[in-house]
Structures are given as structure tokens and as C-alpha cells.
Amino acid sequence: MKSKYIKLGLLLLLLLSLFSCNNSKKEIRVIVDNYYSSLKKGDLDQMLNLFSYDIKLSYDNLYQQNPELKTFTSDTLKIVGSSFNYEIEKVKIKDNKAVVTIKETGLDKEMLDKKIKELTAKESFIPSNNNDFEKAKKEFVDYQMNILSKASKEVKEKKTSTTTLTLEKEKNGWVITTKNLLRVIPKDGL
């Protein structure tokens, strides 16, 4: 009789464990989907809310010190993200850590670099006023965004690779802890 209760208890624990694991996997998938959605839209604020506190703080500080970098990064992500796709292949959870394997497909880096060089050679940058450094800096950023936008529209070749995101469970839920987060092109891409 006692062994029947032990078996029933173990079965109940196993079912609770499986249910908890499935809920965690669903939560992790939602976080990863939100991460990639933020990247594609260039929404750095939304994306930063998915990070662990130390990574979020680090990027917040960086962008507060250099707001132009935040705008540049956001604009770059929007341009390159428009031709970027991903697929979650696997979620592995062990204790309070998870590793998500993702198949990413984006513009072929070599072809994009080649097209950027080609366009840059055709359209060199000349500031409208050499005496106004701030204006020239803004014009140069606009020039770079224009070249990147044109190149990303002209390059048709794509490359696929597999990457991982690491997450940890904190008191408020799962957070992304991977350090190399501002990537929109596969590792062997940009």
C-alpha cells in the first residue's frame, strides 16, 4: 500500500516537472520571438528590457553617453533586419539556465560588403560645410545609412547559420544573458 502512494507521488512530481518545463519553454520562446522582433524593428528599448540587468545597464549607459550611437544602431538594425529571418530549433533547460538554438538567415556578408564598396566608390562622401563638424558628422551618418540601405536592397544572396542565445531564470522570469546581442546577420555574416 505504501509503495502505491510513493509511485503515485513520484508520478505527480514527474507530471508537475514536465508541465513546468513546457511552461518555461513557452515563456523562453516568447522572449526569443520578442528579441528578434525588436531587432527587426530596431526597437532597442524594447530589446533591452529582455536582457539581464547587467547587460541592460551596460547598454543603457553606452547609449546615454552616445545617443547618436543608439540612433545609428537602431537604423542599421531596421535596414538589415528587413531581410532577416530566424527559426527557433531547440530549447534546452537545465536548472535555471536555458540555451536556445536558432537558425538565422540574413544577407550574405561578403556580397553585402562588396556592394557597399561598389556603391561607396561610385558615391563618395563630401560634406556640405567643412567648418561645421557636427553637421558634417550627421551628413556622414546619413551617407552611411543611404549606402547600407541601397546595398541591402540590391544584394539578393542570403546565408544561413546556427547560433545560440543563453537565458537565465531570475526572480522576475527568464532574461537573455548572451553577450553578443546586437547581431542581425548570422555569425559568418556582417
Side-chain angles (χ1 to χ4, degrees), residues 2-14:
K2 198 174 192 182
S3 71
K4 184 178 180 181
Y5 289 120
I6 291 173
K7 287 179 183 177
L8 188 59
L10 290 174
L11 180 62
L12 184 60
L13 284 174
L14 178 64

Side-chain angles (χ1 to χ4, degrees), residues 34-129:
N34 288 339
Y35 166 71
Y36 279 100
S37 173
S38 302
L39 281 174
K40 290 179 80 142
K41 292 186 290 186
D43 188 343
L44 296 174
D45 293 325
Q46 180 184 0
M47 187 179 73
L48 286 173
N49 288 327
L50 303 170
F51 294 173
S52 63
Y53 179 75
D54 60 328
I55 294 173
K56 181 181 180 347
L57 183 63
S58 150
Y59 279 108
D60 279 343
N61 288 336
L62 177 66
Y63 292 143
Q64 283 178 2
Q65 293 171 13
N66 192 345
E68 294 90 9
L69 177 61
K70 184 175 183 179
T71 302
F72 181 81
T73 303
S74 176
D75 291 347
T76 301
L77 292 173
K78 285 178 201 172
I79 291 169
V80 179
S82 66
S83 61
F84 177 80
N85 292 304
Y86 73 96
E87 179 183 333
I88 300 171
E89 292 188 322
K90 181 173 28 174
V91 177
K92 279 187 170 182
I93 301 172
K94 184 172 182 181
D95 301 325
N96 288 332
K97 293 189 182 211
V99 176
V100 183
T101 305
I102 303 153
K103 183 170 77 173
E104 298 178 333
T105 303
L107 295 176
D108 182 303
K109 180 219 184 292
E110 290 175 15
M111 297 306 293
L112 186 60
D113 285 347
K114 184 178 177 182
K115 184 54 75 176
I116 288 171
K117 287 176 184 172
E118 178 185 312
L119 291 171
T120 303
K122 287 181 185 175
E123 305 172 29
S124 54
F125 173 72
I126 300 171
S128 64
N129 183 344

